[in-house]
Amino acid sequence: MSDPLLKLREIRKSFGDNEVLKGVSLEVAAGEVVSIIGASGSGKSTFLRSINALEVPQSGFMEFEGLSFDFRPESRLFPTPAQLQSLRARVGMVFQSYNLWPHMTVLENVTHAPIRLLKMPRAQAREEAEVLLSRIGLYEKRHSYPARLSGGQQQRVAIARALAMKPRLMLFDEVTSALDPELVHEVLVLMASLAADGMTMLLVTHEIAFARDVSSRVLFFDKGVIAEEGSPEILRNPESERLQQFLHRILHDRVAHSVSKSSGEGAQA
């Protein structure tokens, strides 16, 4: 068996007196899709942001494609700015908010990083961006500005922008949570196609059905630790009472939202 693409050991992160990550360890093989679920404040987004050091842990170890980090500040393996830049160039990340440059067209948003960071010739960057935009169904919008796009379209552009850097690993941090329900599907379809193509992915999500259908593994975060992990089957048959409660609440919230929406539409009619 080949070595994991990503290794994390004993990752710890605190904000003041609040220890958000309490020694989290994980290995991810190339081609795996790992879904991370848990309540707000459980540490899942902080953990994801620690992987590309947007949040630098106070301690812990990381290995990724020849890079080896020891996050203790006194360590000789503490990452240098150049190493962090190399890491982030190979780890794509997409957030809840699209973070597109509002003064750039869709095409300019997608080509900016490859030209600036990868030193890719402008013509090549444009050609590859147009291929990506065709794949996500937004080629016709390539000269539009983000403000002219729907939320779902903007999020798909954000994914294309990350893919333009040819990442070895993609991180998705609740990328559908800011979208209207009718726009969620188009983003999830794109993510499912990436998974089917063998992209290594870690995603924080509340889309339980999606996590069940596309994941190789599911991690349940609770109070800064991985409280339960396993195949997507744990979403059907959770072992811990805490995960059972979490999934029950998610289902209850979805039902309540559907009833509320139906009532509102009925009132408008």
Side-chain angles (χ1 to χ4, degrees):
M1 184 175 179
S2 60
D3 290 336
L5 178 67
L6 174 69
K7 292 183 183 180
L8 299 159
R9 287 192 290 122
E10 291 294 315
I11 298 295
R12 295 182 179 273
K13 177 66 179 178
S14 298
F15 297 99
D17 294 331
N18 181 23
E19 189 178 23
V20 178
L21 298 176
K22 302 174 181 178
V24 179
S25 299
L26 179 67
E27 293 188 0
V28 179
E32 267 200 289
V33 178
V34 180
S35 290
I36 303 171
I37 63 173
S40 296
S42 60
K44 57 191 188 298
S45 289
T46 299
F47 177 68
L48 204 70
R49 292 167 66 89
S50 294
I51 293 172
N52 65 353
L54 288 178
E55 297 289 356
V56 179
Q58 271 89 18
S59 64
F61 305 89
M62 175 178 174
E63 294 180 21
F64 177 77
E65 286 210 315
L67 295 171
S68 295
F69 299 151
D70 179 345
F71 288 108
R72 294 173 299 177
E74 70 276 10
S75 172
R76 63 181 181 84
L77 292 178
F78 190 81
T80 66
Q83 287 173 325
L84 290 179
Q85 182 174 334
S86 177
L87 172 68
R88 291 167 185 157
R90 288 181 269 173
V91 178
M93 188 161 189
V94 185
F95 305 86
Q96 302 179 36
S97 53
Y98 325 120
N99 292 341
L100 299 177
W101 297 101
H103 61 288
M104 293 183 182
T105 66
V106 166
L107 188 62
E108 289 168 341
N109 265 281
V110 177
T111 59
H112 179 72
I115 292 171
R116 180 170 173 267
L117 300 178
L118 299 183
K119 310 302 181 186
M120 186 181 293
R122 189 172 299 273
Q124 180 185 348
R126 180 189 178 101
E127 181 180 348
E128 293 187 5
E130 289 180 342
V131 170
L132 280 171
L133 292 171
S134 295
R135 175 179 179 179
I136 67 173
L138 290 175
Y139 178 80
E140 300 301 324
K141 300 286 188 180
R142 66 194 183 281
H143 298 308
S144 299
Y145 288 90
R148 307 288 295 179
L149 305 180
S150 71
Q153 289 172 331
Q154 289 187 60
Q155 194 59 288
R156 283 149 61 199
V157 172
I159 293 172
R161 181 178 61 180
L163 292 174
M165 290 291 289
K166 305 183 189 306
R168 291 278 288 138
L169 171 66
M170 282 288 289
L171 309 176
F172 297 91
D173 189 9
E174 298 193 38
V175 296
T176 60
S177 63
L179 298 177
D180 293 333
E182 59 268 24
L183 300 177
V184 168
H185 177 72
E186 63 189 64
V187 175
L188 295 182
V189 166
L190 173 56
M191 292 171 64
S193 73
L194 296 177
D197 287 346
M199 173 64 73
T200 310
M201 298 163 52
L202 277 80
L203 52 132
V204 170
T205 184
H206 286 295
E207 300 291 339
I208 300 300
F210 179 76
R212 186 182 61 233
D213 292 343
V214 307
S215 301
S216 314
R217 235 186 323 159
V218 176
L219 312 179
F220 172 56
F221 268 63
D222 186 40
K223 299 178 181 177
V225 300
I226 299 174
E228 188 169 342
E229 70 174 296
S231 74
E233 185 61 27
I234 69 170
L235 298 175
R236 296 185 176 90
N237 298 296
E239 294 183 0
S240 68
E241 182 178 352
R242 186 69 189 89
L243 180 53
Q244 293 172 21
Q245 293 170 348
F246 172 76
L247 293 174
H248 178 75
R249 188 172 75 250
I250 289 287
L251 177 61
H252 178 270
D253 290 347
R254 287 291 168 86
V255 171
H257 176 79
S258 298
V259 170
S260 175
K261 185 179 179 182
S262 298
S263 299
E265 290 174 349
Q268 291 175 4

